[in-house]
Amino acid sequence: MTPRIFMLVVLAAVGVAAAAVLGGALWLLSSASDLPASAALMIAGAGVVLLFLAVAVAWALVELRVLRPLASLTGQAHALANSRAERDVEIATGHALGRLPETVNELARGLISARHEIVKAMTTATARIDEEKGRLEAILIDLSEGVLVCNLNHRVMLYNQAAVRLLGAPEQLGLGRSLFGLVTREPIQHTLEQLQYRLRQGRELSPTEHGTSFVCATVDARTLLQGRMSLVLDAHGAITGYVLSVTDISKDVVDLAQRDTLLRQATEGLRAPVANLRAAAETLASFPDLVGNERSAFEQVIFNESKALSDRLSGLASAYRRLIDRQWPLSDIYSADLINCLTRHLKEEAGLAVTMVGIPLWLHGDSHFLMLTLEHLIKRINVHTGTAAFDIEPLMGDRNIYLDIVWDGDVIPSSVLDRWLDVPLEGAVGDRTARQVLEHHGAELWSQAKRPNQALLRVPLPAPRRAQFEWPPDQLPERPEFYDFELMHQRETVGDIGDRLLRELEYVVFDTETTGLKPSGGDEIVSIAGVRIVNSRILAGETFVRLINPRRDIPTASSRFHNITDDMVRDKPPIQTVLPQFKAFVGDAVLVAHNAAFDMKFLKLKEVECGVVLDNPVLDSLLLSVFIEGEEMDHTLDGIARRFGVEVARRHTALGDALVTAGIFVHLLDLLEARGIRTLNQALEASEGLLELKRQQEQL
Amino acid sequence: MAKSGPAADVARPKNKAATVLVVDDEPNIVLSLKFLMDQAGFDVRVARDGEEALRAIEEQPPDLVLLDVMMPKKDGYDVCQTVRQNPAWESVRIIMLTAKGREVEREKGIALGADDYITKPFSTREVVERVRQVLGVNPF
């Protein structure tokens, strides 16, 4: 009800009440006295007129002095509150609102000045942020170090051009993409855990402790990088991500060479004392008859100068050592990173085959020079013995980690080894030799026989600062075979990728061959193969195929099935070597397999000892096929392939089966879309529905 | 890896993991061997010197002892000899670990009753394989 109507109603009520009172009074008056009815009516009429006039005057006063000023004030206050207007409210004089307009004006002025302050603060803050952003960008562009900012899911949030250059994989580097498409996982994860641990300890971190250095390799194993990680904390001290700075180690070597030159120039200063010495010695030689004070003066010169010389030399030597030590801090290196890089270099440069065997171990060293030294040694062994194939296995000793380079052939005599150590390393600036590198590591190498006609070169290296193995947070729970109900909860963990269209995702369709059907009962993988699907196309050229030494016998029944025998896998690498390679091949792709829970169970059991985590989303072509065609159909690979018209070749080999599965999966993508299943989450949901059904069946 | 791991050999009830006692004075080695044995499906206990090892064996004889030779207090040969002198511990298998690679050391260990002998530095993969072999856990 507006004030005006409210006033009208009040006045009308007052008028009716007054008329009633008046009427009542007249009636009493006329019945009590003898006043004639006409006179009473006249009085009543006059009363009504007077009453009406009084109401009209009251109405006019209220309207002019209260209602209109109030409406004007309301309108202006509303305008002030909802616009940027900056003026006082103005009310015509003669109102009856008391101090209300002044009070409203005071409020309005307060509001305006508060607005001004906010705008000012915002402008300053924006300018400061812009300035900081500009400064940060300038720093990032100028830096020769690659800088990457990642969140806790290891997704890249920010990077600079140097990072693109150093990591050498522009197609893999993008905002929101996984860091592990670029560099190896182990060192990054370990370093992050170390920093998180320090923070959890609640210790006040000194500036040097905020970051910690590490060595990692690019996933293509081309480059070893020296990196430094610092945590990014929010206002409450919680970790929101981390900053990585990486340098190509070979670039530092150039800097070191410059320092080397400086040092050499410093040694030029040795000339003066040497000249003095020489002059004194020559004088003594030329004048053998010098005696007494004259002779002792020259002897004194020789004594003083040679002392000065030796002091200077030892000073330089220790300065040099300090320089080297500062420039070349040793770090923990994962043997698999080092050996993978070595394998790649030697294959490309010298056509030599180096195979990593055994379980990878951590060691402590200067990765760049270690790699150059190992390369140098293997090339020399190749020239000396003619062998082109080598195995490298890390061994564990009391206080050292040993790298055994093994080849078929003879032991290298120690005199020959000795000569190799003094040749300057190829690619090392400053003429550094293998001997210097080994001394820097406190190491001394030797060659010995491993078994008849097989020799090894053993390189002892410092043990890592970190623990060699890390315990998994929890032991894997026992799960039912083949249907892994854990896979029912994938949608909670897949994250943003869940909303992406199935058509647009990248997949790796894979298959394993095993020694048997019991992953928890001692059966092992003997072969794994995968093929990539991008944009719904099978990239037949992008495949991954490996035979694996299962470190146990392959039952004849299994061999009959997949045709892989003990002999075929004897010289093959173990799962500890192959699984990290497979993970690198998979990257962030969605994994697809037929009866995926079976294959995944085998892989998951190996995660800890292989040092990899396969946390990719998983789709099962068997479950999806059941979803599309119903349970009563034949859902074996052969059955589905026949119905879909997919060509079947080399069944029961890992690659053959992976290719058939891929062919089926591409058809399934079309059929799923026709059923309205467009995103990954929808496909996972459909699979989960079937798994739930299975679970209920099992419980019955 | 699952705890239900290795198929039990005849002497043990089915599904019961074999116990391995790791004896070494080098903390790095002890921790690593403990991890590797656990991951291979064995129940693991550790001792830091010879005396501690004997106390642990008395308390509960393990199926196998991974025994370092060079240790303070009581060396590995002593421990091996003591174990072999007690008929109650006949079934305890012993693998000696030593940094000495000389043939004579190997002979001494075997003569004192060790079942096998691994020289340091060792291949972590080989240690696991040898333990399985000696225990007759085939071959997983």
Side-chain angles (χ1 to χ4, degrees), chain A residues 358-359 393 395-399 402 458 468-471 475 478 520 522 551-553 606 608-609, chain B residues 1-5 24 26 28-29 32 34-36 38-39 120-125 129 139-140:
Chain A
I359 300 171
E393 179 170 13
L395 305 184
M396 186 179 286
D398 279 348
R399 291 194 176 84
Y402 299 75
R458 182 161 288 178
Q468 196 60 259
F469 297 103
E470 253 152 34
W471 292 79
Q475 291 287 346
E478 287 296 321
S520 307
R551 307 279 180 214
R552 56 156 287 172
D553 63 321
K606 296 293 174 190
V608 172
E609 61 180 300
Chain B
M1 194 171 293
K3 282 278 193 183
S4 63
D24 202 315
E26 286 295 335
N28 290 334
I29 299 274
S32 298
K34 183 166 189 263
F35 178 88
L36 290 165
D38 182 272
Q39 294 296 297
K120 285 183 183 174
F122 52 81
S123 151
T124 46
R125 158 184 66 110
E129 275 167 20
F140 170 55

Side-chain angles (χ1 to χ4, degrees), chain A residues 270-309:
Chain A
L270 294 173
R271 284 202 177 150
V274 171
N276 290 344
L277 264 178
R278 189 167 168 183
E282 277 173 1
T283 310
L284 282 177
S286 311
F287 304 98
D289 303 334
L290 275 181
V291 285
N293 285 348
E294 276 177 315
R295 185 176 184 89
S296 62
F298 279 110
E299 281 170 351
Q300 196 60 42
V301 169
I302 292 181
F303 177 77
N304 289 344
E305 290 293 353
S306 50
K307 184 170 183 307
L309 198 59

